[in-house]
Amino acid sequence: MKTATAVATEEKIRVQGVDLFYGDNQALYDINLSVPEGSITAFIGPSGCGKSTLLRTLNRMNDLIPGVKITGEVLVDGDNIYGGDTDVVNLRKNVGMVFQRPNPFPMSIYDNIAYGPRIHGIRRKKDLDVIVERSLQQAALWEEAKDRLHKSALGLSGGQQQRLCIARLLAVEPKVLLMDEPTSALDPISTLKVEELTQELKNKYTIIIVTHNMQQAARISDTTAFFLNGVMVEHGVTDGLFTNPGDKRTEDYITGRFG
Ligand SMILES: Nc1ncnc2c1ncn2[C@@H]1O[C@H](COP(=O)(O)OP(=O)(O)OP(=O)(O)O)[C@@H](O)[C@H]1O
Ligand SMILES: [Mg+2]
């Protein structure tokens, strides 16, 4: 299912020497990572190793957690997002996130998707109609949702809600999609739909996906990073990392010896 990535793309994100502390507890140690534009990167590793923490670092979602201290740099398109002049609202529009549990707003399907564009100043119904349809099409939900756009989003199934959350994200035209275990609450068919979606989206977006499912990482990602106890042990081309890991700890993890 994986499609070839365009060669020699530009660097979209660079993480340089990032340490992160929750109060006195260090959760990330000297993370260095380069993410090329238009690719899919998978983060794997045992529970508590820091995958979600690092993901949240990439659009400053950790700012919302009291007592977090971050040092080092995260460059998006060459700009350090921890520099003084970052517009965080704009950053989170460009670097959007989907969470493990679908979290639609308690409003209609239509209003869920129109919410972001409205905040960013789009008011005309005609324009919003176009965005709503396009986003639902991109998220492979249009057929299922088109006759119930003004019904509550909470009436959708879990898998449909997750695709709605992806549609909501796409509506504001981000550049980077951060997906934290987006299929862990989904059945196999919905999972397949989300996986297929990532393949369709990756030429337009840069995607980073956290997953506990190593087959999923192998199926959909171009590169994979393996984490252990807050350290990035290894980052490489996915096929290589799974067939010929460079580090014994990676090998132990992917062969199921621990984790
Ligand atoms: N809000 C928080 N406050 C304090 N400590 C936290 C917080 N969130 C995470 N941590 C700690 O940081 C470490 C990394 O957690 P993180 O959630 O990033 O792991 P993870 O790799 O995403 O795990 P999982 O696979 O279970 O989701 C853990 O030791 C965790 O207890
Ligand atoms: Mg997590």
Side-chain angles (χ1 to χ4, degrees), residues 20-23 25-28 43-56 62 65-68 100 180-181 210-212 227 229-230 253:
L20 183 143
F21 299 82
Y22 292 109
N25 295 326
Q26 188 161 2
L28 296 176
F43 287 177
I44 63 168
S47 185
C49 68
K51 304 179 297 295
S52 298
T53 298
L54 178 58
L55 204 64
R56 288 195 298 265
N62 289 317
I65 302 172
V68 170
Q100 175 171 0
D180 197 348
E181 301 186 47
V210 173
T211 179
H212 278 282
F227 296 86
N229 299 328
Y253 184 72

